[in-house]
Amino acid sequence: MDITQSSLDQFLTESKPYTNNGKLASYIPELLKANQDALGIYIIDVNGKEMYAGDIETRFTIQSVSKVVTLIYALEAYGDEVFTRIGVEQTADAFNSIIKLETRNNGKPLNPLINAGAIATTSFIVEKEGKNGFDNLSNFLRKLAKNDSIDVNQSVYESEQRTGDTNRALAYFQKGQRTFSASVDDVLEAYFKTCSHEVQVKDLANIARVIANNGFDPDTGVRYFSERNARMTKAIMSTCGMYDSSGEFALMVGIPSKSGVGGGIMSVVPGEYGIGIIGPALDEKGNSAAGVALLSKLSQEYGLSIFR
Ligand code: DON
């Protein structure tokens, strides 16, 4: 059944109070400037039909949603060699946890969608492409989003650099374990900048739509990545995309998704929809509180779970 505008409006209204259940991310001070009450959703079906509701003009930094793009870029450019540096297992730890780098996998992060894992994937790109790595990744992101004007929010980037000591610890530990050899400063510059791309919900919906179409953009006839890489990305999103609530999210929503501390969620309904959501108030795991509520209503009403 096609999603109707009236139900989208209704679910948005019903989910709005959940913005009060969350808090803005404060560990990157610049993110405290966001509007805690905002909630918006943009849906594009695989054929290009668009629907939206709520605060779709809100600008926010992509944050960890970018980890999906980094993964696809690396897989497409370098194939399974990427998995010499990262695993594909859930951690059940916070997104910025360091503990399993020491206790599991010999310094190799458990998956590419936690901070340690995205830093490792970024190190791989930086080693292969040097300073051009970030620009190539950034251009890939713009292409998938069909938006040439996406750029890095400089204040958020600088805020991340100033306060990113946990990420520095994750990077130095990995370098100490010989997981990568690139300069930590170069890797983190690319990683922080990637997280600081400023987007709107439509951009996330466009990226998700290409993934829903298994890497193919029907508008331009361009294949951006292989079906195999699309399949692996959706699998990793569904097992690891919502951090240490990925399991509960799979039960309640069942849509491959990735969240970010800017309040964005990007969701892929395979073969059907690309979805972008913004709701900057985060639950205790770092996922958009109202965004998860909204996705849960949508999924349950329209049977969007991939586990149906
Ligand atoms: O590295 C960080 O901490 C942020 N740039 C991104 C973290 C993030 O979005 C985790 N999301 N829930």
Side-chain angles (χ1 to χ4, degrees):
M1 190 178 28
D2 285 348
I3 298 170
T4 65
Q5 184 66 47
S6 60
S7 64
L8 197 58
D9 291 338
Q10 181 197 330
F11 294 153
L12 190 112
T13 307
E14 289 172 4
S15 304
K16 192 94 176 168
Y18 288 81
T19 57
N20 297 319
N21 293 3
K23 288 201 187 96
L24 296 174
S26 56
Y27 76 102
I28 301 170
E30 199 67 15
L31 296 183
L32 282 170
K33 293 185 178 161
N35 172 11
Q36 151 125 26
D37 303 326
L39 183 62
I41 181 166
Y42 212 103
I43 304 179
I44 310 181
D45 79 10
V46 287
N47 300 313
K49 188 178 158 214
E50 303 183 10
M51 297 180 78
Y52 44 83
D55 302 306
I56 61 162
E57 301 297 335
T58 301
R59 290 179 180 279
F60 55 100
T61 48
I62 190 167
Q63 296 300 338
S64 286
V65 177
S66 66
K67 294 175 166 69
V68 172
V69 179
T70 304
L71 172 67
I72 297 175
Y73 177 85
L75 281 175
E76 203 50 28
Y78 305 108
D80 288 1
E81 196 188 338
V82 175
F83 294 121
T84 58
R85 203 161 285 205
I86 42 163
V88 291
E89 301 301 337
Q90 275 191 357
T91 64
D93 296 318
F95 63 84
N96 55 2
S97 176
I98 196 166
I99 190 160
K100 291 210 168 97
L101 279 182
E102 185 167 30
T103 60
R104 301 273 304 272
N105 253 7
N106 302 318
K108 187 171 109 173
L110 278 171
N111 74 67
L113 301 186
I114 49 173
N115 285 13
I119 289 168
T121 315
T122 305
S123 75
F124 189 80
I125 296 169
V126 168
E127 280 170 28
K128 298 277 189 192
E129 302 174 23
K131 292 268 184 201
N132 292 334
F134 169 74
D135 291 334
N136 297 338
L137 176 57
S138 184
N139 285 333
F140 186 61
L141 190 152
R142 284 189 202 100
K143 267 192 210 146
L144 296 184
K146 295 183 193 292
N147 184 351
D148 285 343
S149 65
I150 292 176
D151 217 338
V152 169
N153 177 321
Q154 197 61 22
S155 327
V156 174
Y157 165 64
E158 284 166 15
S159 194
E160 296 216 29
Q161 275 285 15
R162 268 195 304 276
T163 57
D165 291 323
T166 305
N167 285 319
R168 257 173 221 113
L170 293 170
Y172 275 112
F173 191 85
Q174 292 186 67
K175 188 163 181 189
Q177 297 286 310
R178 308 274 184 273
T179 303
F180 69 80
S181 59
S183 127
V184 165
D185 285 345
D186 290 351
V187 170
L188 287 179
E189 180 183 332
Y191 169 77
F192 290 140
K193 278 187 178 162
T194 305
C195 291
S196 303
H197 281 102
E198 190 171 81
V199 294
Q200 292 174 300
V201 276
K202 184 175 182 179
D203 301 317
L204 298 190
N206 267 318
I207 299 171
R209 177 185 173 221
V210 184
I211 305 173
N213 263 326
N214 278 329
F216 182 72
D217 178 357
D219 299 342
T220 55
V222 174
R223 172 164 290 286
Y224 287 111
F225 46 94
S226 70
E227 271 191 56
R228 179 173 182 270
N229 289 341
R231 176 174 55 75
M232 292 200 294
T233 300
K234 283 179 283 186
I236 298 171
M237 288 171 79
S238 67
T239 51
C240 308
M242 303 298 278
Y243 303 108
D244 41 334
S245 60
S246 296
E248 187 183 344
F249 187 83
L251 263 61
M252 301 307 294
V253 181
I255 303 174
S257 298
K258 181 74 202 84
S259 59
V261 292
I265 302 179
M266 180 173 81
S267 300
V268 176
V269 184
E272 294 186 70
Y273 302 108
I275 302 175
I277 290 184
I278 178 63
L282 308 179
D283 64 22
E284 70 283 1
K285 302 285 174 68
N287 298 318
S288 168
V292 171
L294 178 54
L295 273 171
S296 178
K297 287 175 196 293
L298 253 186
S299 177
Q300 287 170 23
E301 174 72 16
Y302 287 101
L304 301 182
S305 171
I306 61 169
F307 304 105
R308 61 188 181 262

